[in-house]
Amino acid sequence: MRIAITRQISPAINQCELTHIARETIDYKRACAQHKQYEDALRSLGIDIISLEAEPALPDSVFVEDVALVLDECAIMLNPGASSRRPEVASVEKALAPYRDVFRIRPPGTVDGGDILRVGKTVYVGLSSRSTENAIEQIKAILEPRNYEVRAVNVTGCLHLKSAVTRVSENTLLINPGWVSKGDFPGMQFIEVDPAEPYAANAVLVDGTLIYPSSFSKTRAKLERAGINMLIVDADELAKAEGAVTCCSLIFEF
Ligand code: CIR
């Protein structure tokens, strides 16, 4: 059985953190409708949704991906780089506790889940404005004994590693080579985002289907040409909060 933890959008979403983009008003109702479309896309792929209630005091709390890393063997509760986001961790930990042994990243290390990309037994962690070497060392200490290789990757120009690169099939990464270097992912094949769509590298792969935003038509055409099977969702409202499709769920097997 496959489960996704999601959380309803805070009515305070307009007070979200922003790092690389200018503030634009987020239409709350429209964002909620798109979030429901996203949850329905996950359901249509056979995933059971655990939908946590909105946290009115925590503007960014819909982006549950940033507070935990869930692997088959364990879960790691993260210490988000933005202090406003640290109170998001406790409720997600409570939701995960029935399913996994839980470890924790402790200060001074900080890391957002958006900076963590798993490919098989390799865990890539972005060194970004949110995530630090100290946190990477803590992740290594937890995961190397569980047979994972943990590799640090430099990220520039965007918020998170997964703003710049995600997996779109077994051996293929969708990448913005301006923000992250292909050389950091040995043995992988690449599809580059269309240069006119720098934010187009974030996608959620569930089995053989890619959940992909409707906004990036040029990159989408490239993915189609590469034979990638896609489920298209509208995600442009939460994109104004610097969020993309991976950020809104924690998907795991149980
Ligand atoms: C933040 O700056 O933390 C939020 N406004 C956006 C987080 C997006 N999360 C993600 O890409 N994993």
Side-chain angles (χ1 to χ4, degrees):
M1 166 179 183
R2 191 168 282 165
I3 297 174
I5 293 177
T6 62
R7 173 147 43 206
Q8 298 311 300
I9 302 172
S10 167
I13 183 72
N14 275 292
Q15 275 85 60
C16 67
E17 299 281 342
L18 287 179
T19 309
H20 293 275
I21 61 173
R23 196 167 294 276
E24 273 183 78
T25 302
I26 296 167
D27 179 333
Y28 179 67
K29 267 186 140 170
R30 188 163 182 269
C32 290
Q34 291 187 353
H35 188 255
K36 183 178 178 303
Q37 194 193 353
Y38 172 83
E39 289 180 325
D40 287 344
L42 292 172
R43 281 191 193 97
S44 76
L45 297 174
I47 298 177
D48 273 16
I49 307 272
I50 298 176
S51 171
L52 305 180
E53 278 179 25
E55 293 271 7
L58 301 175
D60 279 308
S61 51
V62 63
F63 302 123
V64 287
E65 168 184 69
D66 289 319
V67 301
L69 170 65
V70 190
L71 301 171
D72 288 347
E73 299 81 356
C74 63
I76 305 178
M77 301 315 298
L78 306 174
N79 185 33
S83 58
S84 68
R85 302 204 53 194
R86 293 182 194 145
E88 296 173 24
V89 178
S91 51
V92 174
E93 177 169 356
K94 212 168 142 192
L96 280 170
Y99 303 101
R100 291 291 189 277
D101 288 339
V102 173
F103 296 84
R104 273 187 204 89
I105 300 301
R106 301 180 191 281
T110 65
V111 55
D112 287 7
D115 274 319
I116 306 179
L117 172 68
R118 184 185 68 81
V119 179
K121 293 294 245 183
T122 305
V123 173
Y124 297 97
V125 188
L127 279 168
S128 68
S129 61
R130 297 285 174 85
S131 302
T132 64
E133 294 271 12
N134 178 284
I136 295 177
E137 290 310 311
Q138 294 185 52
I139 293 172
K140 279 187 182 166
I142 298 165
L143 294 187
E144 284 181 350
R146 291 171 175 79
N147 299 318
Y148 285 88
E149 185 187 359
V150 179
R151 290 172 173 242
V153 177
N154 285 316
V155 181
T156 48
C158 61
L159 183 60
H160 287 133
L161 176 66
K162 278 188 284 193
S163 322
V165 60
T166 58
R167 220 174 115 224
V168 294
S169 72
E170 186 68 26
N171 282 319
T172 309
L173 299 177
L174 177 61
I175 191 165
N176 176 337
W179 290 344
V180 81
S181 165
K182 287 182 186 173
D184 284 329
F185 305 93
M188 298 301 290
Q189 295 179 335
F190 300 94
I191 297 173
E192 291 188 11
V193 299
D194 186 281
E197 297 175 340
Y199 288 94
N202 187 276
V204 177
L205 183 62
V206 180
D207 294 327
T209 302
L210 196 68
I211 300 181
Y212 195 70
S214 56
S215 324
F216 306 118
S217 55
K218 293 181 169 143
T219 305
R220 179 178 159 189
K222 278 186 143 186
L223 292 165
E224 270 162 6
R225 283 198 295 275
I228 308 277
N229 177 36
M230 280 176 281
L231 195 53
I232 303 299
V233 295
D234 297 319
D236 53 301
E237 209 54 48
L238 283 180
K240 296 177 191 165
E242 227 169 336
V245 283
T246 60
C247 336
C248 292
S249 59
L250 284 164
I251 301 172
F252 56 92
E253 301 279 346
F254 182 65

